[in-house]
Amino acid sequence: MCSSSCSVSYNCIVVLGPTAVGKTALAVRLADALDGEIISADSRQVYRGLDIGSGKDICEYTLHNPERTVPYHLIDVVSLPDEYSVFNYQKGFYSVFPEILSRGKLPVVCGGTGMYLDAIVRGYSFVDVPCNAKLRTSLVGKTDAELAEILIKLKGDKLHNTTDLLEHHRLLRAIEIETFMQEHGKVSGSTASAADVLDFDATSASVPARPDIRPFIIGTTFPRDMLRAGINRRMTSRFKEGMIAEVERIHNGGIEWERLERLGLEYKLIAWYLQGKLGSEEELYEKLRISIGQFAKRQETWFRRMEKTGVKINWLPCSGSDYDVSIEGRFEMSMEMLRAAGFDGTSTHA
């Protein structure tokens, strides 16, 4: 729990870091020690059925000796083929966060989806852009190059996020968003992407009022070689657990390959493999290893960008020693940081 001195400055904890560093296990230990509940910040764990590939690892929320389960939120909240954006996440978070506080519990946010975390910490304001069926119809049959040219003309020198140029569905959504913004006299923020519109001057009645969020942010990562080794170990484990069979089962349940591909990483590449676009399981493994390594770099870049905008991330030291990389060691270092910040676990959370 959180002391009265803590409640003046902080009312929640955020545990962030790149993939495969054990964020969930650390967050669960902290929530258990401080009478907290986990709020996930993972863009794929929100989907029911995406278990192995998303690293849901629900078993990690149960601790032993004695056995107790730490409550968690914003996992398994939507089903494919529905889309779940950061706009949806923010709405869900704004509903869950005050409810946890109202029960005297401490919210512990855990995840590596940078935009989810940024949207909560910095309080993005979104415009909910509806689907434009007429526009979509007019774009049918156009190549990615033609769509990219349309988007570039629409955005001009405001095109800062070139990610939207890489995939067909993102190009369509980006054109749809920019058209909406111009028709309604709005200017999209420089970090806007096809997934969501960031408009820091706009408000939307469909979003609950932003609660008072005062996070103490803990960052955890490993040296590059250890991070790569951790990614490889986790990949091997997930293959053994049946990750390929999971993707095949989801597709056989009626989810199109294109929708699975839009989920990225494991789901995208395994969908390619099952369609015969990759020649062997060895090729799949190698491409996946490279893709996840690149993803981890992008996550760390995002966190550095957050810091440049003034977000304070308290990074746990990690020399690569057994203590520094162990959950127990990182838990003890985190608790030391938290005690210094006013968390002591001796009184109810305000």
Side-chain angles (χ1 to χ4, degrees), residues 334-345:
S334 297
M335 288 300 294
E336 185 175 343
M337 283 183 176
L338 292 166
R339 281 190 289 268
F343 292 81
D344 60 16

Side-chain angles (χ1 to χ4, degrees), residues 229-292:
I231 289 171
N232 289 340
R233 282 194 302 273
R234 193 178 66 174
M235 276 181 52
T236 299
S237 175
R238 290 183 181 177
F239 271 90
K240 290 179 179 178
E241 290 170 13
M243 188 165 58
I244 294 175
E246 175 177 277
V247 178
E248 188 168 28
R249 182 171 62 252
I250 293 170
H251 174 66
N252 290 341
I255 303 303
E256 296 181 355
W257 291 124
E258 182 185 10
R259 181 65 184 94
L260 284 164
E261 290 169 7
R262 292 207 303 272
L263 294 168
L265 295 178
E266 293 92 344
Y267 294 99
K268 176 181 179 178
L269 290 172
I270 292 174
W272 284 3
Y273 169 72
L274 291 172
Q275 294 173 82
K277 295 180 181 180
L278 299 178
S280 66
E281 193 168 320
E282 289 72 23
E283 182 183 2
L284 166 63
Y285 189 98
E286 180 62 16
K287 284 186 177 296
L288 193 51
R289 182 188 65 78
I290 293 171
S291 295
I292 296 176

Side-chain angles (χ1 to χ4, degrees), residues 42 44-49 56 72-80 82 84 88-89 92 96 116:
D42 188 292
R44 297 189 301 173
Q45 292 184 9
V46 297
Y47 292 103
R48 302 182 191 98
K56 207 166 282 178
Y72 55 86
H73 305 268
L74 301 186
I75 293 177
D76 292 336
V77 296
V78 68
S79 297
L80 292 171
D82 292 346
Y84 191 92
N88 301 126
Y89 178 78
V96 166
Y116 278 18

Side-chain angles (χ1 to χ4, degrees), residues 72-250:
Y72 55 86
H73 305 268
L74 301 186
I75 293 177
D76 292 336
V77 296
V78 68
S79 297
L80 292 171
D82 292 346
E83 302 278 356
Y84 191 92
S85 69
V86 67
F87 177 80
N88 301 126
Y89 178 78
Q90 190 184 59
K91 287 196 294 184
F93 189 99
Y94 285 2
S95 296
V96 166
F97 184 87
E99 192 272 330
I100 294 173
L101 288 176
S102 72
R103 291 185 283 101
K105 304 296 183 179
L106 177 69
V108 179
V109 185
C110 175
T113 300
M115 185 169 277
Y116 278 18
L117 294 163
D118 219 1
I120 297 309
V121 171
R122 294 204 289 144
Y124 291 170
S125 183
F126 293 95
V127 176
D128 193 11
V129 177
C131 180
N132 186 332
K134 183 178 179 180
L135 175 63
R136 292 266 179 158
T137 299
S138 72
L139 298 174
V140 170
K142 293 192 181 295
T143 66
D144 287 356
E146 290 171 329
L147 292 174
E149 185 177 351
I150 292 171
L151 180 60
I152 291 168
K153 286 181 179 178
L154 281 170
K155 293 185 75 73
D157 60 5
K158 295 194 270 80
L159 184 62
H160 299 279
N161 189 341
T162 58
T163 303
D164 293 335
L165 303 178
L166 302 180
E167 297 180 3
H168 189 78
H169 80 280
R170 293 179 70 91
L171 279 163
L172 290 171
R173 182 58 175 157
I175 292 170
E176 190 171 56
I177 286 170
E178 189 61 29
T179 300
F180 176 92
M181 299 298 276
Q182 293 185 13
E183 288 177 350
H184 290 77
K186 299 180 183 298
V187 179
S188 58
S190 63
T191 55
S193 75
D196 307 273
V197 177
L198 281 60
D199 179 8
F200 291 90
D201 296 320
T203 58
S204 173
S206 61
V207 181
R210 184 177 191 268
D212 177 26
I213 302 172
R214 289 170 276 121
F216 185 89
I217 304 175
I218 297 172
T220 180
T221 189
F222 296 160
R224 183 63 53 189
D225 59 337
M226 297 191 72
L227 183 57
R228 285 196 296 266
I231 289 171
N232 289 340
R233 282 194 302 273
R234 193 178 66 174
M235 276 181 52
T236 299
S237 175
R238 290 183 181 177
F239 271 90
K240 290 179 179 178
E241 290 170 13
M243 188 165 58
I244 294 175
E246 175 177 277
V247 178
E248 188 168 28
R249 182 171 62 252
I250 293 170

